[in-house]
Amino acid sequence: MSELTEQIIEILKGKSIPEKAAFFPKFFKAFPGGYGEGDQFLGVKVPDQRKIAKQFFKEISLNELSELIQNPFHEVRLTGLLALVYRYEKTKSEEEKKELVDFYLAHLDYVNNWDLVDTTCHQILGEFHFKKEKELFYELAASGNLWKQRIAMISSYYWIKRGEFSDALVLAENLKNHPHDLMHKAVGWMLREIGNQDFDVEMEFLKKHYQSIPRTALRYAIEKFPEELRQDFLKGRI
């Protein structure tokens, strides 16, 4: 482990809050049988992790980022991933962006909880593939791995915010009946974001699929609808 990696980890440990270190394993379901089983926590708040990532992202090497992202502690992995996002956002050349995308894809096994996914994938994979083929995301969606499937869905957030919905809608249809609640939330969230951009597009999708969408996904999708319309969906009156 490099000196810089050790320095960053020591800074994170210095920000540890014992109460949060005790709470996070429950919050992120790190108990046996939970979706985050076996994960370890220092108890560091996300704003502190962001500050540390911003402090070091320019000087840290990819090898050192790899050391952080492969660390057993959740907050160390997230800090490394946030530093990668900041570096990507400052990168101008397509070649350098491609290198960072490939690096991210090579470390997907460590992007293994919903917050690690949600704070990184749309800003890296979503941005890079905005005007490119989306085959990668259909492969991730079909992988059978919860986190890779969530990456596929949440990466579409970047495209949705820029008014492109077609791939997000196909991914939502492909993943809407996923067995895990975390995917129901991801699908519903992206449908809601589509509605924020174009209400009619979301309505068209929901009219076709709402009776087969899991309840959690539907509730997320219609969260901002007028109450009467929301109740019509929930009670099957559409």
Side-chain angles (χ1 to χ4, degrees):
M1 188 181 296
S2 77
E3 288 185 13
L4 181 56
T5 303
E6 290 180 349
Q7 180 186 355
I8 292 170
I9 292 172
E10 286 304 309
I11 294 171
L12 283 166
K13 288 180 177 178
K15 299 289 186 181
S16 174
I17 301 171
E19 294 80 7
K20 291 195 176 296
F23 171 71
F24 284 159
K26 302 169 189 174
F27 184 71
F28 289 105
K29 304 294 191 291
F31 46 75
Y35 55 71
E37 180 175 356
D39 207 351
Q40 300 178 51
F41 296 85
L42 295 171
V44 183
K45 296 186 292 185
V46 172
D48 287 332
Q49 295 173 65
R50 289 190 178 278
K51 287 178 185 176
I52 294 165
K54 285 181 179 177
Q55 180 181 349
F56 291 102
F57 81 90
K58 291 180 182 178
E59 63 182 284
I60 195 168
S61 70
L62 289 185
N63 284 338
E64 289 164 334
L65 277 179
S66 183
E67 290 177 344
L68 293 177
I69 294 169
Q70 294 183 65
N71 192 275
F73 284 100
H74 188 102
E75 294 95 334
V76 178
R77 297 200 305 282
L78 180 55
T79 301
L81 288 165
L82 288 169
L84 181 64
V85 169
Y86 297 143
R87 168 148 334 162
Y88 183 87
E89 289 175 341
K90 295 295 184 181
T91 298
K92 301 302 181 185
S93 81
E94 190 77 358
E95 183 179 349
E96 290 176 3
K97 284 187 173 184
K98 176 67 163 55
E99 181 183 15
L100 297 180
V101 166
D102 289 344
F103 177 87
Y104 183 82
L105 290 173
H107 289 79
L108 285 191
D109 287 346
Y110 305 96
V111 188
N112 56 356
N113 214 311
W114 58 264
D115 61 322
L116 306 178
V117 170
D118 295 358
T119 55
T120 60
C121 67
H122 61 96
Q123 293 164 286
I124 297 176
L125 299 185
E127 195 279 341
F128 187 76
H129 289 88
F130 179 41
K131 295 296 185 182
K132 298 180 178 67
E133 290 294 319
K134 306 296 193 294
E135 181 182 352
L136 166 67
F137 303 95
Y138 294 103
E139 291 174 357
L140 292 172
S143 68
N145 178 280
L146 171 62
W147 305 122
K148 291 179 180 179
Q149 291 170 316
R150 189 170 173 106
I151 285 168
M153 191 72 252
I154 302 301
S155 291
S156 71
Y157 189 28
Y158 189 91
W159 320 325
I160 291 167
K161 288 191 294 184
R162 287 152 184 81
E164 292 199 4
F165 313 127
S166 56
D167 288 290
L169 290 168
V170 176
L171 288 164
E173 185 172 358
N174 290 351
L175 291 166
K176 67 183 176 67
N177 294 120
H178 191 281
H180 205 290
D181 183 66
L182 282 175
M183 281 307 306
H184 304 167
K185 293 176 181 178
V187 168
W189 174 20
M190 291 302 103
L191 290 173
R192 184 177 72 225
E193 294 299 333
I194 290 172
N196 288 343
Q197 300 290 331
D198 192 321
F199 181 79
D200 291 340
V201 171
E202 184 186 6
M203 274 293 292
E204 182 180 353
F205 181 93
L206 288 177
K207 283 179 179 179
K208 182 178 179 182
H209 297 288
Y210 83 97
Q211 290 182 318
S212 63
I213 287 178
R215 202 71 165 175
T216 298
L218 181 61
R219 287 186 179 278
Y220 268 63
I222 63 176
E223 185 178 48
K224 295 185 179 179
F225 281 19
E227 183 59 23
E228 184 176 350
L229 179 59
R230 206 175 71 84
Q231 289 300 324
D232 284 343
F233 270 107
L234 291 173
K235 295 175 181 177
R237 298 193 296 236
I238 300 297

